[in-house]
Amino acid sequence: MKAVLLRRIQRHLGRRGVFLLILGVGKTCWGASFLFNPPDGAGLQLLTGMCGLRQWAWLWIVCGLTTLVSAFLRIGRDRWGYVAALIPPTVWAVAYLAAVITGDYSRGLWVAIWYLTSHVGVIMWAATVPEHSVPPAPRRARKSEGA
């Protein structure tokens, strides 16, 4: 019973939906970690100058939940999930780059590159991957078609 339900959900989600589901859960959990146990904010002075990390946590949570919900939408309508998934890591990368430029956090360059490659880059690549990129198997010839 469980296996049938899981297969049905996976079939409904497809590859793109599963990716969005994973991203959505991850971003929501990352945001929750800022609520329950916020880090010291090193390198995030651009953000913490506007409001605290607990408030920025909601950016991750809202974008994560939007991404998660988009996993269940049809291809084409799921684009908002990819847009939402891009927002938090892009904001964080900009904040870390600003910290490098101002001299507040020299390690920020590497963290920004990490966000831009393993988050933003992967999300942008995944957004372009079609649901079914493998062509269908050729149809077998019928006996009346010359076989």
Side-chain angles (χ1 to χ4, degrees):
M1 174 79 172
K2 274 198 232 181
V4 171
L5 181 63
L6 288 175
R7 276 195 303 270
R8 181 175 284 167
I9 291 171
Q10 186 175 13
R11 202 172 323 120
H12 174 75
L13 291 175
R15 294 186 321 177
R16 292 172 58 94
V18 169
F19 182 75
L20 286 171
L21 183 67
I22 292 167
L23 279 179
V25 169
K27 289 181 185 317
T28 303
C29 290
W30 186 248
S33 77
F34 283 102
L35 283 179
F36 297 113
N37 190 12
D40 64 4
L44 297 172
Q45 292 84 348
L46 178 66
L47 302 180
T48 57
M50 292 183 238
C51 59
L53 286 178
R54 289 181 189 267
Q55 287 76 29
W56 283 106
W58 288 103
L59 175 71
W60 285 93
I61 293 168
V62 169
C63 288
L65 292 174
T66 302
T67 302
L68 190 146
V69 168
S70 295
F72 295 92
L73 300 177
R74 284 189 352 239
I75 298 168
R77 295 182 184 250
D78 63 356
R79 78 174 142 268
W80 294 111
Y82 287 98
V83 171
L86 283 170
I87 294 170
T90 302
V91 169
W92 253 243
V94 168
Y96 282 116
L97 287 173
V100 171
I101 292 168
T102 61
D104 291 334
Y105 192 60
S106 62
R107 185 173 177 261
L109 176 63
W110 311 112
V111 180
I113 291 170
W114 178 71
Y115 271 112
L116 290 172
T117 56
S118 68
H119 289 65
V120 174
V122 170
I123 293 165
M124 290 176 71
W125 167 80
T128 65
V129 173
E131 180 60 35
H132 300 287
S133 58
V134 178
R139 203 170 55 108
R140 288 182 47 197
R142 295 185 190 147
K143 288 187 179 192
S144 64
E145 293 179 347

